Amino acid sequence: MRKLIVLCVLLALIVPSGSMMVGAQDGNPFEGMSPEDLFPNAIDDVERESAMAALLAANLPDARDRFEGEKLTVGVLASGTRGVISGGVYFWREAFQAVTGAELEIIEIPFEQMLTTLTIDFSTNQNTYDAIINASWFYGDYISNDWIIPIDDYIGAEGFPVWEPEKVAAPLQQLLTWGDNWYGVVNDGDAQMLYYRRDILEDPEWQAAYEEEVGEPMPVPPRTWQQVLKVSRFFNGKDWNGDGDPDDGISLHLKVGGQGHFHYMALSSPFAITPAEGDDPRAVTKYDNIYWFDPDDMTPVINSPGHVAALEFLKELAATGSQSQFGWELGEAWDNFLNDNAVLTFSWGDVGSLAQDPNQSVIQGKLGGAPIPCSEVWYDRELGEFVEDAENPNCVGNLVGASWHGVISSRSNVPELAYYFLAMQANPSILFWNVVYGWTGVDPSSLPHLFPPAGEATVEDYVAAGYNADDVESYITAYGQNLFDPPTTLTYLRIPGTPEYWNILDIRLAEAMIDVLSPQEALDAVAEEWEEITDDIGRDYLLDIYRESIGYSPE
Amino acid sequence: MKSANRARLIFLLPGALWVLCFTLFPLVYSLGLSFTDKRMGRRTRPGEFIGFQNYQDIFQDNRVAEVMEMTIFVIVGSVLLTVVLGTFIAWLFNHEIPGLRAFRSILTLPIFAAPIALGQLGMILFNEQSGPINHMIRGVGLDPVYWITDPWSARFAVLIVDVWQWTPFVFIIVLAAMQSIPDELYEAARLDTSSAWTMFRRITFPMITPALGTVTMLRLVETFKILDIPYTLTGGGPGVSTQTYSYYIYLEGLRFFDMGYASALAYLLVITAIIISSIFFWRVRHRYDIE
């Protein structure tokens, strides 16, 4: 009897602890593995258990019989085991290895070395990488050199994790495809939007002070760049956070090589792009929806009056923030906003999710989000004059940024294993987990991440992951509006040579921002250097690709 | 005799192979590349012979003019400051000072650090908001310096880190030269003067001139190649204000893969360095021949 009691006690102790071990049944790839084994990079039980739930919900097919003993090498942005984009790859490594029996080698590549590393690797036939978590602007070079393969045959095939290409937000789908083929597996979705301090801008005392100083009510949230400038200028230099020091209006990353050119692209689009008249404002004509080059001859339009006005405006706006912005990269600009030092910023979805992380932010519960602002002034290239209309501002969406996602090398010996890994990362439950944990750097990309009417997520989905309900309602709503509501969107440059074009833009913009060159001189220099690149690559060759990529047909 | 020759050959072989593979071959290969349009990853430029076109392009490239400003600034500034400071510190340490050995060891530490690491350290020191240098500047009631975001301040930041690293190198060589000067010379001079400056000018300086010549030439060639400190400290910015000629070669060659053009740029650097160092050596030899 005593033995029976002891046995019962032991069983009572073993069964619950045994239930923490995953899938203690025959044939389960996670058999005998605890959440601690599967997620060694998790920092707490909440993260570990939620990841475990996501992994089980993913219902990954057991692929050990096909991939046992194989090795997959993935190239990814260098940010470390808990950093943006690479963090997610590390986080799910053990689970991938368990379900496939394969080994996953992760090679981190610094942002500024990415093109260098990959081009040398492919050009010299080293063929190190089976899959690359790549930036969308590399497509022109990848495709023209046949470095990556289409994945249409794998999508929906049996034996691979399920993901839903049709649920990728329509504007982002174009970044994963080329012509009629899918090349990319969804991961991150980038678009810049406006963030503001809801608690400050909605404070009646600050609103009254603003009205008294500026002479009009404070727009909350600001809907145009001109309103953003007024609000930022009002708050800049005031101690609105009560720490005894003057604080910033806006927080931007403007260091050369610090991705400041994406700020410029997002801001300048409504200054430089005119939507088409008629039923389809996205229709591309010689003058409408043109941002980069004249589609008839590849002449750069980057130095057109709309662009110059936008750059002059960006300088004015930057002057309402810290002088140190000109030396900041992404992280520093985000930190400044997340740590209560700036009242406004415009950036990617990362800010929305990082704001919810108490380790990185002190503004949880104080965050507001709004679509990227419109402009009350823009340049009509067809008329050759500026148009001003504060009542009906020009609104242009954007997909600026990398939208980091996986592609498969054409030189890979294990393309199926590579696809398995990428599809696993794109599986709805795993991808949603990556989206809600801001440190992964994976931003909303698909309908399950966005709110209705276009999306399928609910505020509760995010609140369950630790988000503040008001913050996430504002942030995700704005993110969805940002993707779907603007009448037109900046076309994404994906022609061969894009990294070179953007590098020159980045350098010259930085020079304009620090007054080495005037905005006109800087953009004239960009146009001149772009012409050299175009001639170097081949104008006619590029023209065809450019026209196809923006959907232009010459009359 | 034959076996002795064979032994010599065997001992020489590894060194000869090393030089052939890792010095001569890259040198010849890159010279060949500099006459081609080779650009990796671009089908339109497979590497056809284009004569001196790349060399001609250098003189029409406005980016070269831009980076030369920083290059000349850092060469002149760094060589001058390291030589003057290194000599001054060596002169100080050539006297009897308590704890001399410990100070000497501490002073030479920066030489052993990788320039990349010093650049990273510089990022912390020169951080505009929370760096200790601006903290001290604020502490004495002055406005902070925008070390990274103001073009000339950024250039000085690069210069300061470079000088910091290389002053000990000058210090060690010049100190060795100073310590090799016979004491008798100073003892004899003290009969005529007690002025330290006169003794330095009349005895020390002439005696260390050959060492100074060598160290200046070495620093000159080394500074021509500076890339790692601006790369890590400022990223070449703000704008392109801290990009040096070597930085530009790196960007053209390893960022944009214009291997032909980058090779031509590199060869022009080599030729310039050879010309300058030849003139320098000729001047030094000429001076000693006369004397």
Side-chain angles (χ1 to χ4, degrees), chain A residues 312-337:
Chain A
E312 285 166 351
F313 186 91
L314 180 59
K315 287 190 69 173
E316 273 189 81
L317 186 59
T320 64
S322 167
Q323 160 84 13
S324 297
Q325 291 173 114
F326 305 121
W328 281 349
E329 297 187 25
L330 276 184
E332 289 152 308
W334 289 347
D335 282 348
N336 194 49
F337 180 75

PDB file of all heavy atoms in Angstrom, chain A residues 312-337:
ATOM      1  N   GLU A 312      14.649  70.030 -49.560  1.00  0.00           N
ATOM      2  CA  GLU A 312      14.686  71.270 -48.757  1.00  0.00           C
ATOM      3  C   GLU A 312      13.777  71.113 -47.533  1.00  0.00           C
ATOM      4  O   GLU A 312      14.121  71.533 -46.423  1.00  0.00           O
ATOM      5  CB  GLU A 312      14.237  72.461 -49.610  1.00  0.00           C
ATOM      6  CG  GLU A 312      15.313  72.893 -50.611  1.00  0.00           C
ATOM      7  CD  GLU A 312      14.776  73.843 -51.681  1.00  0.00           C
ATOM      8  OE1 GLU A 312      13.542  74.032 -51.753  1.00  0.00           O
ATOM      9  OE2 GLU A 312      15.606  74.372 -52.444  1.00  0.00           O
ATOM     10  N   PHE A 313      12.635  70.473 -47.744  1.00  0.00           N
ATOM     11  CA  PHE A 313      11.694  70.263 -46.643  1.00  0.00           C
ATOM     12  C   PHE A 313      12.287  69.322 -45.594  1.00  0.00           C
ATOM     13  O   PHE A 313      12.167  69.561 -44.386  1.00  0.00           O
ATOM     14  CB  PHE A 313      10.376  69.695 -47.182  1.00  0.00           C
ATOM     15  CG  PHE A 313       9.309  69.596 -46.139  1.00  0.00           C
ATOM     16  CD1 PHE A 313       8.418  70.649 -45.935  1.00  0.00           C
ATOM     17  CD2 PHE A 313       9.196  68.478 -45.325  1.00  0.00           C
ATOM     18  CE1 PHE A 313       7.451  70.568 -44.944  1.00  0.00           C
ATOM     19  CE2 PHE A 313       8.233  68.397 -44.341  1.00  0.00           C
ATOM     20  CZ  PHE A 313       7.359  69.443 -44.146  1.00  0.00           C
ATOM     21  N   LEU A 314      12.947  68.260 -46.067  1.00  0.00           N
ATOM     22  CA  LEU A 314      13.549  67.304 -45.120  1.00  0.00           C
ATOM     23  C   LEU A 314      14.602  67.997 -44.248  1.00  0.00           C
ATOM     24  O   LEU A 314      14.726  67.703 -43.057  1.00  0.00           O
ATOM     25  CB  LEU A 314      14.169  66.129 -45.876  1.00  0.00           C
ATOM     26  CG  LEU A 314      14.837  65.037 -45.033  1.00  0.00           C
ATOM     27  CD1 LEU A 314      13.853  64.403 -44.042  1.00  0.00           C
ATOM     28  CD2 LEU A 314      15.444  63.936 -45.905  1.00  0.00           C
ATOM     29  N   LYS A 315      15.327  68.922 -44.864  1.00  0.00           N
ATOM     30  CA  LYS A 315      16.327  69.666 -44.071  1.00  0.00           C
ATOM     31  C   LYS A 315      15.637  70.501 -42.984  1.00  0.00           C
ATOM     32  O   LYS A 315      16.106  70.568 -41.848  1.00  0.00           O
ATOM     33  CB  LYS A 315      17.140  70.589 -44.990  1.00  0.00           C
ATOM     34  CG  LYS A 315      18.120  69.845 -45.871  1.00  0.00           C
ATOM     35  CD  LYS A 315      19.064  70.788 -46.571  1.00  0.00           C
ATOM     36  CE  LYS A 315      20.017  71.430 -45.567  1.00  0.00           C
ATOM     37  NZ  LYS A 315      21.064  72.218 -46.222  1.00  0.00           N
ATOM     38  N   GLU A 316      14.531  71.135 -43.380  1.00  0.00           N
ATOM     39  CA  GLU A 316      13.774  71.930 -42.389  1.00  0.00           C
ATOM     40  C   GLU A 316      13.277  71.035 -41.261  1.00  0.00           C
ATOM     41  O   GLU A 316      13.335  71.395 -40.083  1.00  0.00           O
ATOM     42  CB  GLU A 316      12.559  72.574 -43.061  1.00  0.00           C
ATOM     43  CG  GLU A 316      12.825  73.916 -43.711  1.00  0.00           C
ATOM     44  CD  GLU A 316      11.508  74.552 -44.132  1.00  0.00           C
ATOM     45  OE1 GLU A 316      10.827  75.156 -43.283  1.00  0.00           O
ATOM     46  OE2 GLU A 316      11.140  74.411 -45.312  1.00  0.00           O
ATOM     47  N   LEU A 317      12.779  69.876 -41.647  1.00  0.00           N
ATOM     48  CA  LEU A 317      12.232  68.959 -40.642  1.00  0.00           C
ATOM     49  C   LEU A 317      13.342  68.434 -39.721  1.00  0.00           C
ATOM     50  O   LEU A 317      13.166  68.369 -38.494  1.00  0.00           O
ATOM     51  CB  LEU A 317      11.526  67.794 -41.345  1.00  0.00           C
ATOM     52  CG  LEU A 317      10.771  66.812 -40.462  1.00  0.00           C
ATOM     53  CD1 LEU A 317       9.687  67.515 -39.655  1.00  0.00           C
ATOM     54  CD2 LEU A 317      10.144  65.700 -41.308  1.00  0.00           C
ATOM     55  N   ALA A 318      14.485  68.088 -40.314  1.00  0.00           N
ATOM     56  CA  ALA A 318      15.594  67.569 -39.509  1.00  0.00           C
ATOM     57  C   ALA A 318      16.088  68.613 -38.507  1.00  0.00           C
ATOM     58  O   ALA A 318      16.587  68.256 -37.430  1.00  0.00           O
ATOM     59  CB  ALA A 318      16.739  67.125 -40.416  1.00  0.00           C
ATOM     60  N   ALA A 319      15.926  69.868 -38.872  1.00  0.00           N
ATOM     61  CA  ALA A 319      16.373  70.937 -37.965  1.00  0.00           C
ATOM     62  C   ALA A 319      15.503  71.018 -36.712  1.00  0.00           C
ATOM     63  O   ALA A 319      15.862  71.716 -35.760  1.00  0.00           O
ATOM     64  CB  ALA A 319      16.361  72.268 -38.694  1.00  0.00           C
ATOM     65  N   THR A 320      14.398  70.288 -36.693  1.00  0.00           N
ATOM     66  CA  THR A 320      13.545  70.280 -35.500  1.00  0.00           C
ATOM     67  C   THR A 320      13.837  69.050 -34.627  1.00  0.00           C
ATOM     68  O   THR A 320      12.981  68.610 -33.859  1.00  0.00           O
ATOM     69  CB  THR A 320      12.050  70.308 -35.874  1.00  0.00           C
ATOM     70  OG1 THR A 320      11.737  69.096 -36.582  1.00  0.00           O
ATOM     71  CG2 THR A 320      11.725  71.502 -36.733  1.00  0.00           C
ATOM     72  N   GLY A 321      15.032  68.504 -34.806  1.00  0.00           N
ATOM     73  CA  GLY A 321      15.470  67.380 -33.974  1.00  0.00           C
ATOM     74  C   GLY A 321      16.919  67.586 -33.587  1.00  0.00           C
ATOM     75  O   GLY A 321      17.487  68.653 -33.840  1.00  0.00           O
ATOM     76  N   SER A 322      17.497  66.561 -33.011  1.00  0.00           N
ATOM     77  CA  SER A 322      18.884  66.669 -32.546  1.00  0.00           C
ATOM     78  C   SER A 322      19.852  66.805 -33.716  1.00  0.00           C
ATOM     79  O   SER A 322      19.682  66.152 -34.753  1.00  0.00           O
ATOM     80  CB  SER A 322      19.232  65.409 -31.741  1.00  0.00           C
ATOM     81  OG  SER A 322      20.613  65.337 -31.536  1.00  0.00           O
ATOM     82  N   GLN A 323      20.885  67.605 -33.523  1.00  0.00           N
ATOM     83  CA  GLN A 323      21.957  67.721 -34.530  1.00  0.00           C
ATOM     84  C   GLN A 323      22.624  66.357 -34.737  1.00  0.00           C
ATOM     85  O   GLN A 323      23.098  66.047 -35.829  1.00  0.00           O
ATOM     86  CB  GLN A 323      22.984  68.748 -34.041  1.00  0.00           C
ATOM     87  CG  GLN A 323      24.357  68.676 -34.680  1.00  0.00           C
ATOM     88  CD  GLN A 323      24.455  69.418 -35.997  1.00  0.00           C
ATOM     89  OE1 GLN A 323      23.565  70.194 -36.332  1.00  0.00           O
ATOM     90  NE2 GLN A 323      25.524  69.179 -36.735  1.00  0.00           N
ATOM     91  N   SER A 324      22.588  65.535 -33.699  1.00  0.00           N
ATOM     92  CA  SER A 324      23.256  64.233 -33.785  1.00  0.00           C
ATOM     93  C   SER A 324      22.575  63.272 -34.756  1.00  0.00           C
ATOM     94  O   SER A 324      23.141  62.233 -35.090  1.00  0.00           O
ATOM     95  CB  SER A 324      23.323  63.586 -32.402  1.00  0.00           C
ATOM     96  OG  SER A 324      24.096  64.370 -31.543  1.00  0.00           O
ATOM     97  N   GLN A 325      21.373  63.614 -35.209  1.00  0.00           N
ATOM     98  CA  GLN A 325      20.679  62.755 -36.174  1.00  0.00           C
ATOM     99  C   GLN A 325      21.526  62.485 -37.409  1.00  0.00           C
ATOM    100  O   GLN A 325      21.423  61.434 -38.024  1.00  0.00           O
ATOM    101  CB  GLN A 325      19.388  63.421 -36.663  1.00  0.00           C
ATOM    102  CG  GLN A 325      18.298  63.540 -35.642  1.00  0.00           C
ATOM    103  CD  GLN A 325      17.151  64.369 -36.190  1.00  0.00           C
ATOM    104  OE1 GLN A 325      16.074  63.852 -36.383  1.00  0.00           O
ATOM    105  NE2 GLN A 325      17.366  65.644 -36.436  1.00  0.00           N
ATOM    106  N   PHE A 326      22.396  63.444 -37.764  1.00  0.00           N
ATOM    107  CA  PHE A 326      23.199  63.279 -38.976  1.00  0.00           C
ATOM    108  C   PHE A 326      24.263  62.196 -38.793  1.00  0.00           C
ATOM    109  O   PHE A 326      24.905  61.805 -39.757  1.00  0.00           O
ATOM    110  CB  PHE A 326      23.841  64.612 -39.384  1.00  0.00           C
ATOM    111  CG  PHE A 326      22.823  65.705 -39.552  1.00  0.00           C
ATOM    112  CD1 PHE A 326      22.890  66.862 -38.800  1.00  0.00           C
ATOM    113  CD2 PHE A 326      21.782  65.548 -40.444  1.00  0.00           C
ATOM    114  CE1 PHE A 326      21.929  67.853 -38.936  1.00  0.00           C
ATOM    115  CE2 PHE A 326      20.813  66.528 -40.584  1.00  0.00           C
ATOM    116  CZ  PHE A 326      20.886  67.687 -39.829  1.00  0.00           C
ATOM    117  N   GLY A 327      24.439  61.746 -37.559  1.00  0.00           N
ATOM    118  CA  GLY A 327      25.372  60.651 -37.302  1.00  0.00           C
ATOM    119  C   GLY A 327      24.661  59.404 -36.796  1.00  0.00           C
ATOM    120  O   GLY A 327      25.306  58.467 -36.347  1.00  0.00           O
ATOM    121  N   TRP A 328      23.343  59.411 -36.855  1.00  0.00           N
ATOM    122  CA  TRP A 328      22.591  58.268 -36.317  1.00  0.00           C
ATOM    123  C   TRP A 328      22.268  57.241 -37.379  1.00  0.00           C
ATOM    124  O   TRP A 328      21.919  57.582 -38.508  1.00  0.00           O
ATOM    125  CB  TRP A 328      21.261  58.741 -35.706  1.00  0.00           C
ATOM    126  CG  TRP A 328      21.391  59.342 -34.352  1.00  0.00           C
ATOM    127  CD1 TRP A 328      22.500  59.326 -33.548  1.00  0.00           C
ATOM    128  CD2 TRP A 328      20.390  60.067 -33.639  1.00  0.00           C
ATOM    129  NE1 TRP A 328      22.238  59.992 -32.376  1.00  0.00           N
ATOM    130  CE2 TRP A 328      20.965  60.459 -32.411  1.00  0.00           C
ATOM    131  CE3 TRP A 328      19.079  60.420 -33.920  1.00  0.00           C
ATOM    132  CZ2 TRP A 328      20.243  61.188 -31.459  1.00  0.00           C
ATOM    133  CZ3 TRP A 328      18.372  61.144 -32.977  1.00  0.00           C
ATOM    134  CH2 TRP A 328      18.947  61.522 -31.764  1.00  0.00           C
ATOM    135  N   GLU A 329      22.329  55.973 -36.939  1.00  0.00           N
ATOM    136  CA  GLU A 329      21.771  54.897 -37.744  1.00  0.00           C
ATOM    137  C   GLU A 329      20.405  54.549 -37.154  1.00  0.00           C
ATOM    138  O   GLU A 329      19.965  55.177 -36.187  1.00  0.00           O
ATOM    139  CB  GLU A 329      22.713  53.702 -37.733  1.00  0.00           C
ATOM    140  CG  GLU A 329      24.049  54.048 -38.381  1.00  0.00           C
ATOM    141  CD  GLU A 329      24.968  52.859 -38.546  1.00  0.00           C
ATOM    142  OE1 GLU A 329      24.480  51.730 -38.619  1.00  0.00           O
ATOM    143  OE2 GLU A 329      26.175  53.080 -38.613  1.00  0.00           O
ATOM    144  N   LEU A 330      19.800  53.513 -37.730  1.00  0.00           N
ATOM    145  CA  LEU A 330      18.438  53.139 -37.309  1.00  0.00           C
ATOM    146  C   LEU A 330      18.250  53.071 -35.799  1.00  0.00           C
ATOM    147  O   LEU A 330      17.370  53.730 -35.235  1.00  0.00           O
ATOM    148  CB  LEU A 330      18.122  51.741 -37.838  1.00  0.00           C
ATOM    149  CG  LEU A 330      17.615  51.553 -39.232  1.00  0.00           C
ATOM    150  CD1 LEU A 330      17.290  50.088 -39.444  1.00  0.00           C
ATOM    151  CD2 LEU A 330      16.400  52.402 -39.436  1.00  0.00           C
ATOM    152  N   GLY A 331      19.083  52.254 -35.173  1.00  0.00           N
ATOM    153  CA  GLY A 331      18.895  51.956 -33.750  1.00  0.00           C
ATOM    154  C   GLY A 331      18.930  53.210 -32.893  1.00  0.00           C
ATOM    155  O   GLY A 331      18.148  53.342 -31.943  1.00  0.00           O
ATOM    156  N   GLU A 332      19.828  54.127 -33.237  1.00  0.00           N
ATOM    157  CA  GLU A 332      19.956  55.334 -32.417  1.00  0.00           C
ATOM    158  C   GLU A 332      18.721  56.225 -32.548  1.00  0.00           C
ATOM    159  O   GLU A 332      18.261  56.813 -31.570  1.00  0.00           O
ATOM    160  CB  GLU A 332      21.227  56.087 -32.832  1.00  0.00           C
ATOM    161  CG  GLU A 332      22.492  55.358 -32.406  1.00  0.00           C
ATOM    162  CD  GLU A 332      23.667  55.661 -33.310  1.00  0.00           C
ATOM    163  OE1 GLU A 332      23.523  55.517 -34.542  1.00  0.00           O
ATOM    164  OE2 GLU A 332      24.726  56.032 -32.786  1.00  0.00           O
ATOM    165  N   ALA A 333      18.210  56.323 -33.767  1.00  0.00           N
ATOM    166  CA  ALA A 333      17.010  57.145 -33.974  1.00  0.00           C
ATOM    167  C   ALA A 333      15.808  56.520 -33.261  1.00  0.00           C
ATOM    168  O   ALA A 333      14.998  57.221 -32.631  1.00  0.00           O
ATOM    169  CB  ALA A 333      16.728  57.302 -35.462  1.00  0.00           C
ATOM    170  N   TRP A 334      15.704  55.189 -33.361  1.00  0.00           N
ATOM    171  CA  TRP A 334      14.594  54.511 -32.667  1.00  0.00           C
ATOM    172  C   TRP A 334      14.723  54.696 -31.155  1.00  0.00           C
ATOM    173  O   TRP A 334      13.745  55.000 -30.476  1.00  0.00           O
ATOM    174  CB  TRP A 334      14.602  53.017 -32.990  1.00  0.00           C
ATOM    175  CG  TRP A 334      14.185  52.681 -34.391  1.00  0.00           C
ATOM    176  CD1 TRP A 334      13.591  53.516 -35.293  1.00  0.00           C
ATOM    177  CD2 TRP A 334      14.343  51.424 -35.052  1.00  0.00           C
ATOM    178  NE1 TRP A 334      13.373  52.856 -36.472  1.00  0.00           N
ATOM    179  CE2 TRP A 334      13.825  51.568 -36.355  1.00  0.00           C
ATOM    180  CE3 TRP A 334      14.874  50.198 -34.681  1.00  0.00           C
ATOM    181  CZ2 TRP A 334      13.822  50.513 -37.277  1.00  0.00           C
ATOM    182  CZ3 TRP A 334      14.866  49.155 -35.592  1.00  0.00           C
ATOM    183  CH2 TRP A 334      14.336  49.317 -36.877  1.00  0.00           C
ATOM    184  N   ASP A 335      15.932  54.481 -30.646  1.00  0.00           N
ATOM    185  CA  ASP A 335      16.152  54.608 -29.195  1.00  0.00           C
ATOM    186  C   ASP A 335      15.744  55.990 -28.700  1.00  0.00           C
ATOM    187  O   ASP A 335      15.158  56.131 -27.618  1.00  0.00           O
ATOM    188  CB  ASP A 335      17.627  54.376 -28.850  1.00  0.00           C
ATOM    189  CG  ASP A 335      17.974  52.910 -28.841  1.00  0.00           C
ATOM    190  OD1 ASP A 335      17.045  52.090 -28.873  1.00  0.00           O
ATOM    191  OD2 ASP A 335      19.178  52.586 -28.825  1.00  0.00           O
ATOM    192  N   ASN A 336      16.088  56.993 -29.473  1.00  0.00           N
ATOM    193  CA  ASN A 336      15.775  58.364 -29.065  1.00  0.00           C
ATOM    194  C   ASN A 336      14.271  58.553 -28.904  1.00  0.00           C
ATOM    195  O   ASN A 336      13.803  59.185 -27.959  1.00  0.00           O
ATOM    196  CB  ASN A 336      16.320  59.336 -30.110  1.00  0.00           C
ATOM    197  CG  ASN A 336      16.352  60.760 -29.616  1.00  0.00           C
ATOM    198  OD1 ASN A 336      16.830  61.036 -28.525  1.00  0.00           O
ATOM    199  ND2 ASN A 336      15.826  61.672 -30.405  1.00  0.00           N
ATOM    200  N   PHE A 337      13.511  57.963 -29.828  1.00  0.00           N
ATOM    201  CA  PHE A 337      12.052  58.065 -29.755  1.00  0.00           C
ATOM    202  C   PHE A 337      11.500  57.163 -28.645  1.00  0.00           C
ATOM    203  O   PHE A 337      10.654  57.589 -27.846  1.00  0.00           O
ATOM    204  CB  PHE A 337      11.443  57.681 -31.102  1.00  0.00           C
ATOM    205  CG  PHE A 337       9.937  57.748 -31.127  1.00  0.00           C
ATOM    206  CD1 PHE A 337       9.283  58.975 -31.175  1.00  0.00           C
ATOM    207  CD2 PHE A 337       9.171  56.593 -31.095  1.00  0.00           C
ATOM    208  CE1 PHE A 337       7.890  59.044 -31.185  1.00  0.00           C
ATOM    209  CE2 PHE A 337       7.790  56.648 -31.101  1.00  0.00           C
ATOM    210  CZ  PHE A 337       7.146  57.879 -31.150  1.00  0.00           C
TER     211      PHE A 337
END
